Amino acid sequence: MSLVRLNIKGISYSQTQNGAYALILNEVDGERKLPIVIGAFEAQSIAIALEKEIRPPRPLTHDLFKNFADRFDIVVKQVIIHKLVDGVFYSSLICERDKIEEIIDARTSDAIALALRFEAPIFTYKNILDKAGIYLKVNPEKETEDDTNIEDILGDDLVADELETTNTQQQNYANKTLQELQNLLDEAVSNEDYEKAAHIRDEISKRK
């Protein structure tokens, strides 16, 4: 299976789930986005790693892991999002010490937070992106938004554009047909409502 490299597009706060954020990954050589719901701590840790000028007074957990790894000459070479089951992404850290490579299981949010600190590339398999990736329909009037740098995307509060609360997000998607879900997914993507799109995508994935 071929690997697809990803980078971080931004982080969006979810008003529908307290303390939840949507991490938006973007394929490097394509237009698909991979939204992943993460917790507040992980979102903060990722945002701080992206914003190089912010230095927490004490090391965060991921900073501690990086300091520990540096002390014992352990390097995270890359992160691979290798599996998607029931809407949950599974990832691996590919590490190396003394030219010996080890694979360590990790939550995707933790793996990405560490990848940033080690400046390691992030990959997923093509079949996962085919299954879970979504396309962003660009509004011609806002075409330049995709070129905004990460500092502008995250903003002063370390959060990207807020996800709007809608009645549809609170519906039981299990009662919808596949065609209805696909229509809702297309609408959510068109509105750049990534968290809603992620939930609908997860429901569609469960049925395939």
Side-chain angles (χ1 to χ4, degrees):
M1 292 183 289
S2 60
L3 289 172
V4 179
R5 185 164 180 174
L6 305 169
N7 58 23
I8 297 175
K9 174 68 175 176
I11 304 173
S12 295
Y13 177 63
S14 169
Q15 293 183 330
T16 61
Q17 296 186 38
N18 291 333
Y21 291 76
L23 172 65
I24 313 301
L25 302 177
N26 186 82
E27 62 176 326
V28 171
D29 296 320
E31 299 179 355
R32 286 176 293 184
K33 308 291 187 293
L34 193 65
I36 301 174
V37 176
I38 63 176
F41 171 78
E42 292 79 10
Q44 180 190 51
S45 182
I46 291 170
I48 287 175
L50 288 167
E51 182 55 72
K52 302 295 184 182
E53 296 181 0
I54 296 179
R55 297 287 184 181
R58 299 291 294 165
L60 300 178
T61 302
H62 300 110
D63 297 320
L64 176 62
F65 184 98
K66 175 64 164 59
N67 295 339
F68 180 90
D70 288 344
R71 183 65 60 88
F72 292 96
D73 297 322
I74 300 169
V75 177
V76 174
K77 296 178 61 179
Q78 62 183 11
V79 164
I80 300 178
I81 303 172
H82 63 84
K83 186 168 64 174
L84 173 62
V85 178
D86 294 333
V88 177
F89 291 92
Y90 292 78
S91 296
S92 295
L93 300 171
I94 311 302
C95 304
E96 185 179 86
R97 181 173 184 267
D98 296 333
K99 297 183 180 181
I100 298 175
E101 193 171 272
E102 298 285 349
I103 300 175
I104 300 176
D105 183 47
R107 294 189 307 167
T108 297
S109 55
D110 290 329
I112 291 173
L114 290 172
L116 286 169
R117 286 162 171 81
F118 283 90
E119 298 183 354
I122 303 167
F123 296 93
T124 191
Y125 288 110
K126 183 179 180 298
N127 65 321
I128 292 178
L129 196 57
D130 289 341
K131 182 178 180 180
I134 59 177
Y135 284 95
L136 172 63
K137 297 179 181 178
V138 178
N139 185 331
E141 296 180 358
K142 300 181 180 180
E143 189 171 355
T144 57
E145 285 188 357
D146 279 348
D147 297 326
T148 306
N149 60 39
I150 195 67
E151 288 81 6
D152 292 334
I153 291 171
L154 294 178
D156 293 337
D157 295 326
L158 302 180
V159 177
D161 296 336
E162 290 186 350
L163 299 171
E164 296 180 356
T165 302
T166 64
N167 292 331
T168 306
Q169 284 176 303
Q170 300 173 9
Q171 292 178 359
N172 186 354
Y173 293 127
N175 295 330
K176 300 291 185 181
T177 66
L178 276 175
Q179 185 58 53
E180 289 173 332
L181 289 172
Q182 189 61 53
N183 291 340
L184 288 173
L185 177 60
D186 292 341
E187 180 183 351
V189 172
S190 178
N191 293 333
E192 301 184 29
D193 194 341
Y194 294 116
E195 193 229 11
K196 176 182 174 182
H199 286 297
I200 298 172
R201 179 211 62 206
D202 291 343
E203 180 61 30
I204 292 175
S205 297
K206 290 178 183 178
R207 304 187 190 185
K208 291 184 177 180

